[in-house]
């Protein structure tokens, strides 16, 4: 999607002012440059600003936009979401780095109780052999 198309889409969705959109803009001679484009609607028109940025800055801005999108999706998901470290695989296991509101509601834990803890939730009557198999898996 071009920068202008992304900007038009944001404007049509009612986002005023529009957050900066990163992308490439064509220049005479088919040379493209990385830009961020910001716009705001005014009665009877649109004011936009394009700023040339380095390729690295354009990529960083794009990455930040993607992270913001993922955070928004997670915040509005109806399913419980838990994200843990991949390591360590031995006891006590990987630590929780993210738990969404649906998971907190389902488990009754507060966010502060989940972050940094092993994600395997169990009660005092849990089958320890089964828990060990789950941890190994």
């Amino acid at each position: 999607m071009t920068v202008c198309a992304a900007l038009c889409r944001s404007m049509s969705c009612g986002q005023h002012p529009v957050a900066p959109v990163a992308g490439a803009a064509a220049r005479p001679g088919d040379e493209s440059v990385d830009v961020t484009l910001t716009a705001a609607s005014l009665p009877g028109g649109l004011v936009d600003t394009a700023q040339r940025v380095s390729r690295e800055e354009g990529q960083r801005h794009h990455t930040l936009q993607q992270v913001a999108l993922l955070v928004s999706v997670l915040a509005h998901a109806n399913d419980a979401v838990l994200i843990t470290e991949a390591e360590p695989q031995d006891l006590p296991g990987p630590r929780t780095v993210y738990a969404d509101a649906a998971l907190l509601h389902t488990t009754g834990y507060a966010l502060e109780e989940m972050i940094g803890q092993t994600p395997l939730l169990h009660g005092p009557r849990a089958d320890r052999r089964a828990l060990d198999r789950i941890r190994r898996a």
Side-chain angles (χ1 to χ4, degrees):
M1 176 182 306
T2 68
V3 176
C4 292
L7 182 64
C8 291
R9 188 182 73 195
S10 296
M11 294 298 289
S12 68
C13 292
Q15 298 177 11
H16 306 286
V18 174
V21 175
R27 291 179 44 160
D30 294 328
E31 178 188 352
S32 71
V33 294
D34 286 347
V35 297
T36 57
L37 188 59
T38 307
S41 62
L42 296 174
L46 176 69
V47 174
D48 61 346
T49 305
Q51 179 180 3
R52 184 176 182 170
V53 295
S54 68
R55 175 102 23 211
E56 294 79 22
E57 182 64 21
Q59 290 171 343
R60 186 177 85 65
H61 187 80
H62 177 74
T63 299
L64 291 174
Q65 286 178 315
Q66 295 301 307
V67 168
L69 175 63
L70 291 173
V71 167
S72 176
V73 168
L74 287 173
H76 295 91
N78 291 326
D79 297 323
V81 177
L82 177 73
I83 301 174
T84 68
E85 300 171 321
E87 303 287 339
Q89 294 181 2
D90 55 348
L91 293 177
R95 294 176 298 179
T96 298
V97 296
Y98 177 86
D100 74 345
L103 181 72
L104 299 176
H105 178 75
T106 300
T107 63
Y109 284 101
L111 183 61
E112 299 77 28
E113 295 174 295
M114 298 282 297
I115 300 299
Q117 301 300 315
T118 183
L120 193 55
L121 307 173
H122 56 82
R125 297 183 297 175
D127 180 339
R128 297 295 170 195
R129 288 180 292 175
L131 291 175
D132 287 340
R133 283 194 311 272
I134 292 169
R135 282 189 182 103
R136 284 191 302 271

